[in-house]
Amino acid sequence: MANLYVKKMEGYSGRRLAFRLAYGCDLLEALQGIVEEAEVLFGSINFLGAVQKARVGYYLQDKKRFITLDLDEPMEILSGLGNVSLKDGKPFVHAHVTFLDRTGTIRGGHLLPGTITFAGEVFIEELELPAPPERVDDPVTGLSLWE
Ligand code: ZN
């Protein structure tokens, strides 16, 4: 039987934090700033709200690189999911977002800088581990994944 997973981590629930984001801030920079300030090393993030515009990435698996999609209109954040883990020794946010535009169309992708908040509510749940995982370059996917 093939391996079910590459790595298993089991820890304990740590702090649970909640934030209301400021109007007009960069969503990814805000999430990144929050985890740095709170010194969250590993955990999950969920958020919702609305954006004035968004920039997301789509990963071209065959070319091992992201393309950028500019969604230049106000949208609802139906679902924002992410995590924080260590990269180069510092907390690093990885987040994906599902948006709804005014026509009722779902859009989304890998959250990039350039996504500007209208409103945002964020929950962060810390998972405490003796040794939080570090992101390292994965030659198979070309992504930076948990070691
Ligand atoms: Zn991603």
Side-chain angles (χ1 to χ4, degrees):
M1 188 168 133
N3 290 335
L4 297 177
Y5 45 78
V6 175
K7 182 179 181 74
K8 177 183 176 183
M9 292 163 279
E10 188 168 339
Y12 296 94
S13 289
R15 293 171 294 167
R16 291 164 191 228
L17 307 166
F19 301 86
R20 178 189 147 194
L21 299 180
Y23 173 90
C25 66
D26 186 286
L27 178 56
L28 182 57
E29 288 177 7
L31 296 173
Q32 183 66 42
I34 283 170
V35 299
E36 287 177 15
E37 181 185 290
E39 297 181 334
V40 177
L41 304 183
F42 193 55
S44 62
I45 302 172
N46 77 71
F47 55 97
L48 51 72
V51 296
Q52 300 178 50
K53 64 178 185 173
R55 178 172 288 158
V56 295
Y58 175 86
Y59 194 67
L60 299 172
Q61 296 178 10
D62 54 343
K63 297 194 166 57
K64 295 184 179 178
R65 66 179 176 85
F66 278 97
I67 56 170
T68 299
L69 303 172
D70 281 302
L71 311 176
D72 202 9
E73 61 182 309
M75 294 177 291
E76 300 286 334
I77 301 172
L78 297 185
S79 175
L81 290 174
N83 59 53
V84 53
S85 56
L86 294 173
K87 185 175 181 182
D88 301 323
K90 297 191 306 187
F92 173 82
V93 171
H94 177 206
H96 289 185
V97 190
T98 305
F99 299 107
L100 179 76
D101 74 15
R102 64 178 294 151
T103 70
T105 303
I106 304 292
R107 307 164 82 180
H110 173 101
L111 180 64
L112 293 176
T115 299
I116 306 303
T117 59
F118 183 77
E121 297 166 347
V122 180
F123 278 85
I124 298 175
E125 186 171 347
E126 192 175 39
L127 178 60
E128 292 185 344
L129 295 173
E134 281 266 358
R135 288 190 178 274
V136 295
D137 292 338
D138 174 55
V140 175
T141 63
L143 295 167
S144 181
L145 301 176
W146 293 337
E147 186 175 34

